[in-house]
Amino acid sequence: QQQVKQSPQSLIVQKGGISIINCAYENTAFDYFPWYQQFPGKGPALLIAIRPDVSEKKEGRFTISFNKSAKQFSLHIMDSQPGDSATYFCAAFKTSGSRLTFGEGTQLTVNP
Amino acid sequence: DVKVTQSSRYLVKRTGEKVFLECVQDMDHENMFWYRQDPGLGLRLIYFSYDVKMKEKGDIPEGYSVSREKKERFSLILESASTNQTSMYLCASQKPVPVNEQFFGPGTRLTVL
């Protein structure tokens, strides 16, 4: 049972373009939504996160948009750079359960 | 600087062997996790632990067991390795609520022949 669905599976963007990755969740008890970034040969690392009481969070070129009624959230990477090429995972967390549920991952390639 | 280390980066084992994957964290976190990562399936939780000697099954515990004798160390055990356990294994430790951030090790690429 996949409680967090992520799309697309892979994404190719030109340098300077906008990368958009989408996620949808089912469980309304989730109360924290992080995005993790993973470079080849490394473990995932927290990139940015949002709580459901706000609709948007921005950190530099990275923005999370959150739609509570639709149970969807997305990651936008503005002015995408080749160094952003990585695998991105969305996740959802339920404080009462203390565990993350991850999406399937998106492999982003930014061409120079 | 926070650190999660895993005992091996690459491991090759034969079907039926008992396999131990070790994970150590230096952040004094209580919560630790084992995931496997497969293309198109994301990170799937195998087992996790809230404290020493405590363990909870994740989503795919079959064929695995864990051990946590010390707070900083969490071991994943494949009792009898099978080819369908060929995968990337990731260990993580977690800051306590409300921060919730998980810190991952570099992973162990296990191949079972």
Side-chain angles (χ1 to χ4, degrees):
Chain A
Q1 180 188 2
Q2 188 69 34
Q3 294 192 53
V4 179
K5 291 194 176 295
Q6 182 173 346
S7 63
Q9 189 170 359
S10 63
L11 181 62
I12 300 174
V13 174
Q14 292 299 119
K15 179 182 176 181
I18 302 174
S19 304
I20 302 174
I21 304 170
N22 300 300
C23 283
Y25 64 96
E26 299 170 3
N27 191 339
T28 56
F30 289 136
D31 53 11
Y32 173 74
F33 300 88
W35 285 87
Y36 281 76
Q37 180 188 52
Q38 183 182 29
F39 292 107
K42 305 283 188 182
L46 179 65
L47 178 65
I48 187 173
I50 197 168
R51 296 197 180 273
D53 53 345
V54 297
S55 61
E56 185 175 283
K57 183 173 182 180
K58 184 176 182 179
E59 290 184 1
R61 295 184 295 109
F62 300 89
T63 300
I64 301 178
S65 297
F66 187 83
N67 186 330
K68 189 173 182 178
S69 60
K71 294 189 285 186
Q72 295 175 347
F73 58 111
S74 59
L75 176 69
H76 297 237
I77 307 174
M78 310 300 288
D79 187 27
S80 298
Q81 299 296 313
D84 296 330
S85 297
T87 301
Y88 292 81
F89 294 96
C90 63
F93 182 89
K94 186 169 57 174
T95 302
S96 60
S98 291
R99 52 164 289 184
L100 283 169
T101 299
F102 285 90
E104 298 93 331
T106 296
Q107 187 165 350
L108 172 65
T109 302
V110 182
N111 288 328
Chain B
D1 196 19
V2 299
K3 191 165 262 189
V4 178
T5 57
Q6 296 184 227
S7 51
S8 305
R9 294 299 302 271
Y10 300 93
L11 212 51
V12 180
K13 296 292 181 181
R14 296 206 174 271
T15 301
E17 281 192 80
K18 191 169 186 176
V19 182
F20 293 87
L21 302 181
E22 302 281 335
C23 175
V24 178
Q25 52 100 359
D26 65 359
M27 297 163 281
D28 201 36
H29 290 163
E30 292 183 347
N31 296 352
M32 295 186 73
F33 303 79
W34 274 106
Y35 297 89
R36 64 176 282 176
Q37 180 178 3
D38 301 287
L41 297 177
L43 302 173
R44 293 182 292 166
L45 183 63
I46 304 171
Y47 266 98
F48 58 110
S49 169
Y50 291 129
D51 204 347
V52 175
K53 297 192 184 296
M54 296 184 68
K55 60 186 178 183
E56 295 281 343
K57 291 181 180 179
D59 299 320
I60 52 165
E62 296 79 18
Y64 303 94
S65 62
V66 290
S67 172
R68 192 155 180 213
E69 297 295 320
K70 293 184 177 182
K71 191 175 186 179
E72 67 270 18
R73 188 180 299 269
F74 191 34
S75 302
L76 181 69
I77 303 157
L78 286 67
E79 295 289 343
S80 177
S82 63
T83 55
N84 63 12
Q85 292 178 311
T86 291
S87 186
M88 171 69 82
Y89 290 88
L90 290 162
C91 173
S93 71
Q94 182 174 292
K95 273 187 175 180
V97 172
V99 178
N100 309 325
E101 181 178 357
Q102 288 194 5
F103 296 88
F104 285 84
T108 295
R109 171 73 65 183
L110 173 67
T111 301
V112 183
L113 302 175

